[in-house]
Amino acid sequence: MQAAVATKLTWAGDYAYDVRYFPESAVFKTMTAIVRTWTPQGFALVADGRSRREGVIRTETAQKIFPLESPIGSFAYSISGTAELFIGDSEEVLVSLAGEIQRSAESLRGRRTSNLTGYAVRLVRPAYKALNDVWESINPQTLPSQPSLPGERGYTILRLSLDGYHGEYPASVSVRMFHENGRLRELEVLPERLPLGFHMAAAPAPMIGRILWQDVNDPRLSAYKGRLVFAEDMTISDALERSRLFIQAHSDPEAIALDPNCLEVGGHIHIATITPSEGFKWIIEPIFVNVP
């Protein structure tokens, strides 16, 4: 394996950077599409299924929302950023960050914690360790080198959002893996604000969110605007429908003409909710396909 580490490396996933704020949304610019909304009824989570490697579509059925089983409450995590590191142009995986996180989630199924931030650290730590173990052998030029959000240090590798109910209380935590000056830094773990009815969206073309959710009189992409609703009146059904339309809008020729980055979004849309009464529930499940 040591000899393999010294060869060309390639990454698969979506890279997060930039942020724009709108009255009913915060759109993080990524090469993926994930929308998270907290409503009085619960969380609405919607994601696309497209994943790329070296600019080429690798799969249209990537799972980006994952349920978590825990005695402390009902949660789900969503991932944007680098999912896997490959050796050269082969299909040999050197590090699977997504796989490490999934295995970590299984190991934490029976664990209790009074602190959601601590739980998030334990969830992502094995992925961080797996990458750190090979970091010194990786040429920094092969690393994802996209700018991060304003005020963040270095360059984001992976961002995980953890949403759900800690007991009866809604909570969200963000975990960021990043590098700076060619060095892998410690995880950044921050509690996230929960603006009621606001869409927290990761997407490659922030202007699509502006057209759909802010510029209500803009006639462009009118078929995807959904029902006009104030953030504080947002129901979970409203959030699901508006989020689904938001993702579908990226495939419209008009949207692609406005911003070619919309081509980064597509594939199978999967949808879930998290409520105090029912916990995590799939509305539209992912297509569980092993990518070669």
Side-chain angles (χ1 to χ4, degrees), residues 15 36 52 66 124:
Y15 307 130
R36 305 153 47 229
R52 290 176 177 258
F66 300 84
V124 181

Side-chain angles (χ1 to χ4, degrees), residues 197-220:
F198 279 49
H199 303 303
M200 303 298 293
M207 71 177 304
I208 303 303
R210 183 166 62 248
I211 291 171
L212 297 185
W213 295 333
Q214 180 182 22
D215 300 336
V216 295
N217 295 320
D218 190 325
R220 295 176 295 180

Side-chain angles (χ1 to χ4, degrees), residues 14 30-37 43-51 59-67 76-81 159 161 163 199-204 213 239-251 264-273 280-287:
D14 310 292
T30 69
M31 300 300 114
T32 190
I34 303 171
V35 189
R36 305 153 47 229
T37 313
F43 288 88
L45 308 173
V46 183
D48 77 324
R50 181 165 293 173
S51 179
T59 179
E60 299 279 42
T61 58
Q63 184 178 357
K64 301 176 184 179
I65 299 169
F66 300 84
Y77 67 89
S78 53
I79 295 178
S80 66
R159 191 185 305 274
S161 297
D163 300 299
H199 303 303
M200 303 298 293
W213 295 333
L240 292 174
E241 179 68 4
R242 286 162 59 93
S243 300
R244 180 185 61 80
L245 289 170
F246 170 78
I247 291 177
Q248 289 178 334
H250 287 75
S251 298
E264 301 289 342
V265 175
H268 179 71
I269 296 176
H270 45 299
I271 300 174
T273 59
F280 181 93
K281 179 181 178 181
W282 285 117
I283 306 301
I284 298 179
E285 293 192 31
I287 297 175

Side-chain angles (χ1 to χ4, degrees), residues 115-133:
N115 189 321
L116 192 60
T117 301
Y119 182 89
V121 171
R122 287 193 290 274
L123 180 65
V124 181
R125 178 63 66 181
Y128 174 87
K129 183 179 184 302
L131 184 58
N132 189 57
D133 287 344

Side-chain angles (χ1 to χ4, degrees), residues 140-157:
Q141 292 181 346
T142 69
L143 301 177
S145 298
Q146 301 297 326
S148 296
L149 306 184
E152 290 183 337
R153 296 167 46 196
Y155 300 98
T156 299
I157 299 170

Side-chain angles (χ1 to χ4, degrees), residues 5-227:
V5 173
T7 66
K8 174 188 174 184
L9 303 174
T10 55
W11 300 84
D14 310 292
Y15 307 130
Y17 65 107
D18 199 17
V19 67
R20 311 289 174 87
Y21 291 97
F22 305 126
E24 292 187 11
S25 67
V27 180
F28 296 79
K29 190 172 182 183
T30 69
M31 300 300 114
T32 190
I34 303 171
V35 189
R36 305 153 47 229
T37 313
W38 179 54
T39 76
Q41 292 80 38
F43 288 88
L45 308 173
V46 183
D48 77 324
R50 181 165 293 173
S51 179
R52 290 176 177 258
R53 177 181 174 186
E54 298 284 282
V56 177
I57 295 175
R58 184 164 181 258
T59 179
E60 299 279 42
T61 58
Q63 184 178 357
K64 301 176 184 179
I65 299 169
F66 300 84
L68 281 173
E69 295 186 27
S70 170
I72 66 172
S74 298
F75 300 97
Y77 67 89
S78 53
I79 295 178
S80 66
T82 298
E84 293 172 305
L85 170 61
F86 295 87
I87 298 175
D89 296 321
S90 74
E91 290 295 331
E92 184 176 353
V93 177
L94 179 63
V95 179
S96 174
L97 300 179
E100 292 289 344
I101 292 171
Q102 283 185 278
R103 285 186 285 274
S104 178
E106 282 294 314
S107 72
L108 292 173
R109 286 179 65 176
R111 297 279 295 276
R112 290 185 175 273
T113 179
S114 59
N115 189 321
L116 192 60
T117 301
Y119 182 89
V121 171
R122 287 193 290 274
L123 180 65
V124 181
R125 178 63 66 181
Y128 174 87
K129 183 179 184 302
L131 184 58
N132 189 57
D133 287 344
V134 300
W135 188 262
E136 295 301 324
S137 300
I138 296 175
N139 184 334
Q141 292 181 346
T142 69
L143 301 177
S145 298
Q146 301 297 326
S148 296
L149 306 184
E152 290 183 337
R153 296 167 46 196
Y155 300 98
T156 299
I157 299 170
L158 176 143
R159 191 185 305 274
L160 178 144
S161 297
L162 181 62
D163 300 299
Y165 286 87
H166 191 183
E168 61 186 67
Y169 299 103
S172 292
V173 173
S174 174
V175 184
R176 176 176 172 253
M177 192 182 300
F178 72 103
H179 65 91
E180 184 180 35
N181 299 324
R183 297 178 61 187
L184 184 64
R185 300 298 185 177
E186 269 298 321
L187 295 171
E188 285 187 347
V189 186
L190 296 171
E192 287 193 313
R193 291 177 56 247
L194 284 173
L196 185 64
F198 279 49
H199 303 303
M200 303 298 293
M207 71 177 304
I208 303 303
R210 183 166 62 248
I211 291 171
L212 297 185
W213 295 333
Q214 180 182 22
D215 300 336
V216 295
N217 295 320
D218 190 325
R220 295 176 295 180
L221 301 173
S222 58
Y224 305 95
K225 287 184 179 289
R227 188 172 80 89

